[in-house]
Amino acid sequence: YIPGDVGAPAPAAPLPLYYVFLSECLGGAALCGAVWAFATTKMGDVYVRKMALINCTLRTVILAFGATGPAVNPALAFSYVFATEGAWPTLENHWPSYVAYWFGGLTGAVAMGLCWRFINVPSKSETAKIVLGACCVGACIAAWSFHLGVEADALVSDHDYAAAMERRHPLTKLLKRQPKAYREL
């Protein structure tokens, strides 16, 4: 049992649950795609290369999907709660985390598994499997970076702007003046 906040993965406050679910779904798909493309093909013959590519994918997911606090591993999201509360998180108190971190990640893994089933046919060359797997990983990261990530950042930014407007001095509210940082935008 560890008292206090230990820094568990968590989404930014204003994000709806479906953003976190889709983020974990894409993150889980990207990680599974990396494992299958780099570990089950001839790329996996060299341990250092295989682990470097998988770790690079994992770090990219963690850094690129920052607004939703990606856990990528569902047990990671709950291990912090277990450490601080001394018991496994209950469904009643932590149902959004179950939806986002368990079902999101598992849905992404299943989706990538179905994609890999079509990629991993005996008639395809090893190189084609690696390229197609890497393309699936890239598509997951790009989907987040160019669509969901932009919207998530906008939601967080709007929330931060609203919070800054609420914290203004009463005189600036009366004069309808915005904080200096937001006047320049």
Side-chain angles (χ1 to χ4, degrees):
Y1 178 72
I2 303 171
D5 185 18
V6 292
L15 290 179
L17 184 59
Y18 70 91
Y19 273 96
V20 184
F21 174 84
L22 289 174
S23 175
E24 285 295 309
C25 186
L26 290 171
L31 185 59
C32 284
V35 168
W36 286 321
F38 305 135
T40 64
T41 61
K42 65 181 176 183
M43 291 292 273
D45 293 346
V46 178
Y47 180 79
V48 174
R49 178 177 55 198
K50 166 182 68 175
M51 293 310 295
L53 290 168
I54 292 170
N55 282 324
C56 182
T57 303
L58 178 61
R59 298 299 172 234
T60 302
V61 167
I62 289 171
L63 294 174
F65 296 25
T68 57
V72 182
N73 178 350
L76 176 64
F78 287 89
S79 63
Y80 291 98
V81 176
F82 183 80
T84 57
E85 295 179 4
W88 188 255
T90 61
L91 187 59
E92 294 82 27
N93 295 337
H94 299 279
W95 70 268
S97 294
Y98 277 97
V99 170
Y101 295 122
W102 281 96
F103 298 126
L106 291 174
T107 301
V110 167
M112 185 54 74
L114 293 173
C115 289
W116 188 253
R117 185 176 181 136
F118 291 109
I119 291 171
N120 193 25
V121 292
S123 61
K124 287 194 177 139
S125 70
E126 286 287 305
T127 305
K129 291 176 188 178
I130 294 167
V131 169
L132 289 171
C135 287
C136 288
V137 170
C140 292
I141 293 171
W144 169 258
S145 298
F146 297 119
H147 182 63
L148 278 176
V150 174
E151 290 181 11
D153 289 341
L155 283 169
V156 171
S157 181
D158 288 348
H159 179 266
D160 293 345
Y161 174 75
M165 294 299 280
E166 286 295 316
R167 289 191 299 266
R168 293 183 302 161
H169 188 274
L171 184 59
T172 60
K173 288 181 184 179
L174 179 66
L175 298 174
K176 297 188 190 288
R177 293 184 61 199
Q178 293 180 338
K180 181 181 178 192
Y182 293 106
R183 281 185 275 153
E184 295 171 357
L185 293 176

